[in-house]
Amino acid sequence: MRAGDRLPPLRIPVTRTLIVAGALASRDFQDVHHDPELARRKGAPDIFMNILTTNGLVGRYVTDHFGPTAVLRKVAIRLGAPNHPGDTMLLTGTVEEVAGDTAVVRVVGANGLGTHVTGTVTVTLPEAGA
């Protein structure tokens, strides 16, 4: 692993089930994450993904790439355009820095509306056999 390395892109279909299940799993019962009519009344065209689901998907993207021994040390993200049902989020990543067994990966997730998430993930990769 070296600074400048790119992670392969990951396409995530944004389904209604993914949005609702993520909100329920993170105990986020706000209506905008499960009730389309109430989401519309609040100005959204449909339900949308919560930040905790996005955070989990960003972490998954990095650990899927680096493997089961990878340990997430820090995930810092900022949301942009919402993820609505029927769209696809494309996650991409670039290793920004490496110090010993720790790397900082810049992650961007885009959908049909624009950039959904940007951020960095700090990950430690324990030595093989350690």
Side-chain angles (χ1 to χ4, degrees):
M1 150 183 66
R2 296 184 314 252
D5 286 354
R6 295 188 183 277
L7 281 63
L10 175 64
R11 291 187 191 295
I12 298 175
V14 180
T15 65
R16 191 168 300 280
T17 300
L18 174 63
I19 293 169
V20 173
L24 290 174
S26 60
R27 300 181 57 89
D28 183 345
F29 303 118
Q30 290 190 35
D31 51 27
V32 295
H33 304 308
H34 65 85
D35 188 316
E37 181 54 37
L38 290 176
R40 280 190 280 279
R41 281 193 221 155
K42 292 182 178 179
D46 203 341
I47 63 171
F48 54 90
M49 186 176 286
N50 73 350
I51 192 169
L52 295 171
T53 303
T54 299
N55 200 60
L57 292 170
V58 167
R60 168 198 160 195
Y61 174 57
V62 172
T63 58
D64 279 0
H65 176 73
F66 288 109
T69 62
V71 178
L72 298 177
R73 298 295 180 186
K74 181 178 179 184
V75 178
I77 62 171
R78 169 168 264 154
L79 293 183
N83 268 338
H84 293 291
D87 209 339
T88 298
M89 180 172 61
L90 177 66
L91 288 169
T92 57
T94 305
V95 176
E96 286 194 329
E97 55 187 91
V98 177
D101 64 353
T102 301
V104 176
V105 180
R106 177 87 175 146
V107 176
V108 175
N111 61 32
L113 296 174
T115 301
H116 170 67
V117 62
T118 57
T120 57
V121 177
T122 304
V123 61
T124 300
L125 307 170
E127 292 184 38

